[in-house]
């Protein structure tokens, strides 16, 4: 067996956790044994240490470090160490062993992710507790400004959230580089129980805004998480009328994401004006839905009282927006619902926006 095939064979043995066979192969071939000390494999640049940690083979991991002498801080092309792999994949015994042998508990991989951050992506409380007990810092931030608490709030395990707050009571006082808080993150992903904990135990200001002016309430409704939105209204006194930096309210954002149940909730339950205009362009929710080509949402808005004939600052109706977006089905629907009779449909502004043959054909058929 040549050296290349021998090395590939070692990878397979390591991944499968076959310690005896691995000991035999490395024992009879001292040259290969010396090679694997710093050998990186494939595009990822993984070492045998990475494979062993990723697959949770503790005995193999011990053999590679103690007997073969692999450096515990070996990193691959993404700067991942064995501790990142073990923490990410939920191998608690491997995590414990690596730290005991001197692995840096807050080592950084690409984009400045720590092993604790990796553990928080998989809601593994045991590993999180182990890392924290060994000095892992939950307030460290990655390149996007997220700390471990942000990540845990995205995943939505209330037990993990409570433990992080117990160990580091001020960990919630954090914002990403675009000013998003853990509350934004939990609301966006519909983690209702976590949102409840954050509202009860943390001091977030009502309607705190990120760099785009988006509030947690906006995040909840535009992603269809109505129960979370109701919780924010009840416990946090959030405003359904708050605006982002473009002047858009929740009703406009929900039209963009085509969350029709949320539209009904905003208009019927909360009394939001369906024809409320956003930004200095004076766009309505109907304009936004038409531009995105959300035909079903357009119909829902009309049942809620949206005005077909409202024009923006440039004189454009929802039909013009549908033409701009080249959405033939939405154009057809709007024409059928009555916009064919508006003064400029027969040959001017709307047709000028309809560039594709398919969209123009809709007008010809009318």
């Amino acid at each position: 067996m040549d050296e290349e095939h021998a090395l590939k064979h070692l990878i397979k043995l390591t991944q499968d956790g076959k310690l005896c066979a691995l000991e035999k192969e490395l024992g009879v071939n001292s040259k290969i044994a010396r090679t694997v000390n710093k050998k990186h494999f494939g595009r990822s640049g993984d070492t045998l240490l990475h494979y062993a940690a990723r697959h949770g083979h503790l005995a193999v991991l011990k053999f590679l470090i103690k007997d073969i002498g692999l450096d515990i801080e070996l990193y691959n092309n993404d700067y991942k160490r064995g501790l990142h792999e073990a923490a990410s994949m939920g191998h608690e015994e491997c995590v414990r062993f690596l730290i005991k042998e001197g692995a840096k508990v807050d080592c950084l991989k690409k984009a400045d992710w720590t092993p604790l951050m990796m553990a928080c992506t998989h809601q593994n409380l045991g590993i999180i507790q182990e890392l924290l007990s060994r000095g892992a810092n939950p307030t460290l931030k990655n390149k996007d400004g997220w700390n471990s608490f942000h990540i845990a709030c995205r995943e939505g395990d209330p037990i993990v959230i409570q433990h992080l707050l117990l160990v580091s009571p001020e960990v919630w006082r954090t914002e990403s580089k675009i000013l998003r808080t853990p509350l934004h993150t939990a609301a966006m992903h519909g983690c209702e129980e976590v949102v409840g904990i954050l509202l009860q135990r943390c001091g977030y200001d009502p309607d705190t805004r990120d760099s785009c002016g988006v509030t947690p309430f906006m995040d909840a409704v535009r992603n269809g998480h109505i129960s979370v939105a109701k919780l924010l209204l009840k416990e946090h006194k959030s405003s359904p009328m708050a605006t982002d930096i473009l002047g858009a309210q929740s009703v406009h954002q929900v039209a963009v994401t085509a969350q029709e149940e949320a539209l009904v909730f905003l208009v019927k339950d909360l009394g939001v004006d369906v024809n409320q205009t956003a930004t200095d362009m004076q766009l309505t929710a109907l304009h936004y839905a038409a531009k995105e080509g959300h035909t079903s949402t357009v119909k829902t808005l009309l049942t809620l009282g949206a005005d077909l004939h409202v024009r923006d600052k440039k004189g454009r109706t929802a039909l013009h927006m549908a033409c701009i977006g080249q959405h033939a089905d939405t154009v057809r629907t709007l024409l059928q619902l009555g916009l064919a009779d508006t003064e400029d449909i027969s040959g001017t502004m709307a047709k000028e926006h309809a560039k594709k043959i398919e969209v123009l054909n809709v007008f010809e058929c009318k």
Side-chain angles (χ1 to χ4, degrees):
M1 185 183 297
D2 61 32
E3 182 173 317
E4 181 180 352
H5 285 90
L7 290 170
K8 288 182 178 179
H9 184 54
L10 290 176
I11 294 175
K12 185 69 167 61
L13 293 176
T14 303
Q15 290 174 325
D16 292 343
K18 295 183 177 179
L19 176 60
C20 292
L22 197 61
E23 289 175 325
K24 182 179 178 181
E25 291 289 337
L26 293 176
V28 299
N29 195 330
S30 58
K31 182 180 178 182
I32 292 293
R34 288 193 299 271
T35 300
V36 299
N37 271 288
K38 294 184 179 180
K39 177 65 177 176
H40 296 263
F41 300 92
R43 294 182 178 179
S44 65
D46 287 334
T47 67
L48 293 185
L49 182 71
H50 289 86
Y51 293 120
R54 184 179 303 147
H55 291 275
H57 298 311
L58 178 60
V60 173
L61 202 57
K62 289 181 178 179
F63 168 68
L64 292 172
I65 292 172
K66 289 181 172 293
D67 297 335
I68 302 302
L70 265 65
D71 184 353
I72 204 168
E73 295 297 339
L74 281 173
Y75 54 83
N76 66 10
N77 294 340
D78 286 332
Y79 298 98
K80 264 188 183 180
R81 274 74 167 177
L83 187 57
H84 285 105
E85 296 285 4
S88 175
M89 301 306 294
H91 303 307
E92 191 170 341
E93 289 187 345
C94 292
V95 167
R96 190 175 295 113
F97 168 73
L98 288 168
I99 295 174
K100 182 181 177 182
E101 291 300 310
K104 296 177 181 176
V105 72
D106 280 328
C107 53
L108 301 179
K109 80 170 191 72
K110 192 174 183 179
D112 295 338
W113 280 64
T114 66
L116 180 59
M117 293 175 190
M118 303 291 286
C120 286
T121 65
H122 292 279
Q123 306 181 22
N124 194 314
L125 181 61
I127 290 180
I128 291 168
Q129 289 174 324
E130 179 67 23
L131 290 166
L132 289 169
S133 70
R134 299 288 184 157
N137 185 351
T139 67
L140 292 179
K141 293 185 176 184
N142 64 19
K143 74 173 184 65
D144 295 316
W146 282 41
N147 66 15
S148 296
F149 193 68
H150 262 112
I151 296 164
C153 285
R154 181 188 67 189
E155 300 305 318
D157 187 335
I159 296 176
V160 171
I161 296 303
Q162 289 171 334
H163 185 72
L164 287 169
L165 287 170
L166 177 66
V167 172
S168 181
E170 299 299 307
V171 72
W172 64 272
R173 295 183 183 275
T174 184
E175 295 176 339
S176 71
K177 287 188 175 179
I178 57 171
L179 306 183
R180 292 182 63 76
T181 67
L183 183 58
H184 281 93
T185 302
M188 176 181 180
H189 290 276
C191 303
E192 184 176 351
E193 195 169 350
V194 170
V195 169
I197 293 170
L198 298 181
L199 296 181
Q200 182 180 30
R201 298 185 57 179
C202 308
Y204 292 110
D205 293 331
D207 294 321
T208 182
R209 288 169 167 78
D210 66 13
S211 61
C212 293
V214 173
T215 68
F217 179 85
M218 292 177 187
D219 268 329
V221 290
R222 70 182 181 178
N223 286 285
H225 305 307
I226 298 175
S227 61
V228 173
K230 289 180 177 179
L231 183 61
L232 288 164
L233 287 170
K234 180 181 178 181
E235 304 295 336
H236 212 216
K237 308 305 179 186
S238 298
S239 171
M241 307 294 288
T243 58
D244 64 16
I245 61 173
L246 296 177
Q249 295 181 10
S250 296
V251 69
H252 305 113
Q253 295 176 352
V254 167
V256 171
T257 58
Q259 295 292 343
E260 293 171 34
E261 187 179 351
L263 275 173
V264 173
F265 167 66
L266 288 169
V267 177
K268 286 194 170 182
D269 295 358
L270 301 185
V272 173
D273 181 5
V274 73
N275 292 308
Q276 174 68 44
T277 58
T279 77
D280 57 357
M281 293 307 298
Q282 300 175 0
L283 298 170
T284 66
L286 190 61
H287 283 93
Y288 283 106
K291 186 176 180 180
E292 296 297 325
H294 298 319
T295 305
S296 177
T297 307
V298 165
K299 293 177 180 178
T300 297
L301 283 164
L302 292 172
T303 65
L304 293 172
D307 188 344
L308 279 167
H309 307 293
V310 172
R311 296 174 183 271
D312 69 4
K313 195 172 183 180
K314 292 185 177 181
R316 299 173 299 186
T317 64
L319 179 59
H320 298 106
M321 305 307 287
C323 291
I324 290 170
Q326 304 297 320
H327 302 300
D329 185 57
T330 307
V331 169
R332 185 179 296 107
T333 296
L334 289 168
L335 288 171
Q336 292 171 346
L337 290 171
L339 273 177
D341 297 328
T342 56
E343 60 189 59
D344 64 351
I345 294 306
S346 60
T348 54
M349 287 180 68
K351 280 190 177 181
E352 289 172 8
H353 287 301
K355 304 297 182 184
K356 287 187 178 179
I357 297 298
E358 183 183 7
V359 177
L360 286 168
N361 284 344
V362 174
F363 285 95
E364 297 303 323
C365 289
K366 284 299 290 186

